Amino acid sequence: MPQATRDGVSIYYERADSDGDGSAPVVFVQGLGFGRWMWRWQREAVASDYDVVAPDNRGTGRSDVGLPPLVPRLPGKLRALVILKLAGYSIGGLAADLETVLDNAGIYDAHIVGASMGGMIAQRYALEYTRAKSLTLCCTSHGGPDAAPVPDDTQEHMFDTPDGASEREKIRYRMRPAFNERFTNRNPHLMDRIIEWRLEQDASEAAREAQAAAVLNFDVSDRLEGLRVPTLVLHGTNDDVVPVENATLLSEKIPDSRLELVEGGSHLFFIEDDDRVNDHLVAFLDEHD
């Protein structure tokens, strides 16, 4: 089990070597609260030609939470307030975790692929470290006051779950805005599997709140002109979590960027429309390796 340590916090990652010809590895960085499972379709698509590295974000899966010991034991509302004001993570800190992982793995050039919060980590990483060879930014934002915000009803779904709901019911409720309803209705067995993967690999409640604090405080909108790596911006046009307008804002600010919209795609469009997303991703990686 490869692990890297920063500030006493252990960050777990998986590495799968390919039969490729020495191409730069592809590093997948997941979204808020999500485990490594969310990239399984993209990891399979690139695995034959590229080494794959998949870290668990701080507080997720097998990585340490890294919060003061008392904080996770606080009552829910008090804990959320303490984390938001005093103990939350930062996107800069999560990017530093990623740098520690790649240094530990001996990787000096990498294609960084991030979704949602993972896309924010990828942006900050490419701005402050030197190992990014390319960026792929899925369903994400540059943050700050100019970004299109998460709709209020989506925030309520993500953080205000019904009283008395079981863990599985909470997960199902929170995921509703992230998928198109037609997809969930047509794929009940897959949704059940995803819930099991989330129970096994996702962030704890306290860590999820700490990651949310990082997202709320993220803003690189005035720095993206200095981004000097080829960037693919991918977004679904029916994203009810991070509105698609953010993709246009990113592509306008990043000098060497390409915008590809997936018509009708949800926030988790890389699951629903994995074939289309994988085609864009593989073509981009092959072009810039």
Side-chain angles (χ1 to χ4, degrees):
M1 292 195 304
Q3 293 180 329
T5 301
R6 188 179 76 83
D7 294 340
V9 176
S10 179
I11 306 298
Y12 172 84
Y13 64 97
E14 286 187 352
R15 179 168 186 170
D17 293 336
S18 71
D19 296 326
D21 57 0
S23 299
V26 182
V27 180
F28 290 99
V29 190
Q30 62 263 38
L32 195 161
F34 281 70
R36 283 169 282 108
W37 67 267
M38 66 172 269
W39 289 118
R40 62 190 302 121
W41 295 268
Q42 285 67 50
R43 290 171 64 176
E44 290 174 0
V46 305
S48 61
D49 296 319
Y50 295 88
D51 293 357
V52 171
V53 177
D56 278 335
N57 289 328
R58 180 176 293 236
T60 306
R62 299 182 187 180
S63 291
D64 291 346
V65 174
L67 294 172
L70 177 62
V71 170
R73 297 197 292 268
L74 293 172
K77 290 185 178 180
L78 176 59
R79 181 189 64 231
L81 181 62
V82 168
I83 286 174
L84 179 63
K85 299 296 185 181
L86 300 172
Y89 303 154
S90 69
I91 297 297
L94 295 170
D97 289 345
L98 179 57
E99 170 69 0
T100 300
V101 165
L102 297 190
D103 185 60
N104 182 267
I107 293 171
Y108 298 99
D109 291 292
H111 301 287
I112 312 295
V113 182
S116 200
M117 184 188 76
M120 297 176 179
I121 296 169
Q123 292 171 67
R124 186 72 182 262
Y125 183 81
L127 286 166
E128 298 186 0
Y129 302 96
T130 61
R131 301 177 202 259
K133 189 170 187 176
S134 76
L135 288 183
T136 300
L137 305 177
C138 303
C139 54
T140 193
S141 160
H142 57 48
D146 295 334
V150 179
D152 290 342
D153 56 345
T154 296
Q155 292 192 50
E156 290 175 7
H157 254 280
M158 292 172 64
F159 293 99
D160 295 329
T161 54
D163 293 337
S166 68
E167 285 303 307
R168 285 174 174 79
E169 289 169 341
K170 288 180 181 179
I171 291 171
R172 193 179 296 275
Y173 182 85
R174 285 171 173 168
M175 283 199 305
R176 284 179 189 170
F179 283 105
N180 284 313
E181 185 175 0
R182 185 178 181 185
F183 180 84
T184 59
N185 289 342
R186 287 185 170 186
N187 296 276
H189 297 301
L190 175 59
M191 300 311 296
D192 289 342
R193 289 179 68 193
I194 286 174
I195 289 170
E196 295 305 317
W197 292 331
R198 299 204 70 176
L199 285 167
E200 178 185 354
Q201 296 184 22
D202 277 13
S204 66
E205 195 69 19
R208 185 171 174 270
E209 291 164 358
Q211 291 179 8
V215 169
L216 286 173
N217 292 313
F218 174 70
D219 182 3
V220 292
S221 57
D222 62 348
R223 301 176 61 188
L224 290 180
E225 289 183 359
L227 199 54
R228 292 292 180 257
V229 297
T231 301
L232 174 63
V233 179
L234 288 170
H235 217 112
T237 62
N238 196 35
D239 190 333
D240 289 332
V241 179
V242 179
V244 67
E245 290 83 358
N246 289 293
T248 303
L249 292 171
L250 280 170
S251 66
E252 289 174 348
K253 288 180 178 289
I254 299 173
D256 185 7
S257 64
R258 176 190 309 170
L259 174 62
E260 297 286 356
L261 299 181
V262 175
E263 189 64 33
S266 67
H267 188 58
L268 296 179
F269 70 117
F270 46 88
I271 297 175
E272 290 192 28
D273 301 287
D274 59 298
D275 287 342
R276 282 192 283 174
V277 171
N278 293 345
D279 286 345
H280 287 307
L281 175 60
V282 170
F284 177 74
L285 294 175
D286 290 347
E287 179 181 349
H288 293 287
D289 190 59

